Amino acid sequence: MSEFVTTSNGDRVAYDRRGDGPALIFVAGAGPWREIDPDTTRTAELLAERGVTTIVYDRVGRGESATGGVITLERELAAIEALIGVVGGRAALCGHSSGCSISLRAAVDGLPVAALALWEAPLAPPNSGAREWADEVNRWIDAGENAAALDEYMKDMPPEILDVVRSIPAMVEQAPSLRPDGESLAWAESAPHAQLFGGIRVPVLTMVGEATYDIMTPAAESITAAIPGASWKPMPGSEHSWEPEAMAAELAAFVHATHAADPAASATTATITATATN
């Protein structure tokens, strides 16, 4: 059964919590919510078996996190902050696709992020057109043309993927939730990555699927070069999706290692334990 938390902006965010131990929050990319994302749910279940507290949530404006008004990047970051509070005040983030740029922004903005695990961050070099593209997506959203906004957002994806996405009515209805994705990607392209991300001082692991799109490996290399101590690696996965068993094993090792090295870890663990027993 879903749990709910209310953000500082008043959004009611639905989530599933599993397991005990250091915390990891999954930050979805453009479009998915829990009901249509079984791979993330399965990964969270496997992580819970490996001693990790997991949070899988419906992003603002999706699934059971329905809302109104303009869904800004700030509202999405407030959701992450509220969910970090649910697990004791400190958590690793696992971003998927544009969820990576949202997660990076959370760390840069000073949210209590313990580590970043980034799956297939689709980040282009500076000034490659993301600002103009995001503005066009937002223009369609503001006009109430959700189908056109979704088409614009997905315009560089293979046509067969767009056909699948367009066949899901809720994906069109929830197109206003794409604004934070576009805004975070435009931000991630607004300057060299070393300038944007160079101040991040938490462990960062960037991963790409063994069969992936051309943009993903250069992006992983750029993120790694920008953040001191960051690393990247190929993982089992294709078509922008990971394999839950392999991903859970990798994330469990990453979360436990970073937790052990985190000077704030003992306080967070104590808070989680106290919350779980009350």
Side-chain angles (χ1 to χ4, degrees):
M1 180 179 295
S2 298
E3 298 182 69
F4 295 89
V5 65
T6 300
T7 76
S8 60
N9 286 334
D11 292 311
R12 187 171 182 259
V13 174
Y15 66 93
D16 295 321
R17 173 169 43 184
R18 299 176 176 87
D20 292 302
L24 176 74
I25 298 170
F26 289 91
V27 183
W33 63 101
R34 291 172 300 159
E35 184 181 4
I36 67 166
D37 189 5
D39 285 350
T40 298
T41 292
R42 180 57 182 154
T43 306
E45 291 170 345
L46 292 168
L47 274 168
E49 295 172 2
R50 291 167 166 83
V52 177
T53 297
T54 62
I55 295 285
V56 182
Y57 73 104
D58 290 342
R59 282 188 37 194
V60 177
R62 301 182 192 169
E64 292 186 88
S65 300
T67 191
V70 178
I71 302 173
T72 62
L73 177 57
E74 290 71 24
R75 288 172 72 178
E76 195 64 57
L77 293 171
I80 294 173
E81 186 171 28
L83 290 163
I84 292 174
V86 164
V87 294
R90 193 162 178 81
L93 303 181
C94 179
H96 186 168
S97 192
S98 52
C100 296
S101 49
I102 293 172
S103 298
L104 285 161
R105 183 60 179 266
V108 168
D109 280 7
L111 272 65
V113 174
L116 294 172
L118 308 175
W119 176 266
E120 298 215 336
L123 307 189
N127 303 313
S128 295
R131 179 69 270 164
E132 294 78 9
W133 162 77
D135 287 345
E136 186 67 7
V137 173
N138 293 345
R139 185 177 72 82
W140 286 118
I141 291 172
D142 292 340
E145 299 287 347
N146 288 355
L150 184 61
D151 286 351
E152 180 65 25
Y153 192 96
M154 301 286 292
K155 68 177 184 179
D156 293 329
M157 298 298 291
E160 60 271 19
I161 294 180
L162 179 57
D163 289 343
V164 171
V165 169
R166 286 290 301 273
S167 72
I168 304 172
M171 197 74 84
V172 178
E173 294 167 7
Q174 296 172 175
S177 72
L178 296 173
R179 189 188 300 265
D181 300 89
E183 288 299 317
S184 66
L185 289 168
W187 164 74
E189 192 186 288
S190 65
H193 290 162
Q195 179 179 331
L196 293 173
F197 313 147
I200 294 175
R201 291 296 183 270
V202 299
V204 176
L205 172 63
T206 299
M207 296 163 282
V208 297
E210 291 171 342
T212 188
Y213 302 113
D214 291 342
I215 190 177
M216 301 303 174
T217 297
E221 293 172 338
S222 180
I223 294 168
T224 300
I227 302 173
S231 62
W232 79 275
K233 66 186 299 182
M235 289 280 293
S238 62
E239 297 182 353
H240 214 30
S241 297
W242 64 60
E243 294 184 6
E245 290 77 10
M247 188 65 163
E250 187 68 30
L251 289 175
F254 179 65
V255 170
H256 283 299
T258 58
H259 180 73
D262 185 354
S266 58
T268 302
T269 300
T271 302
I272 294 171
T273 302
T275 301
T277 56
N278 289 333

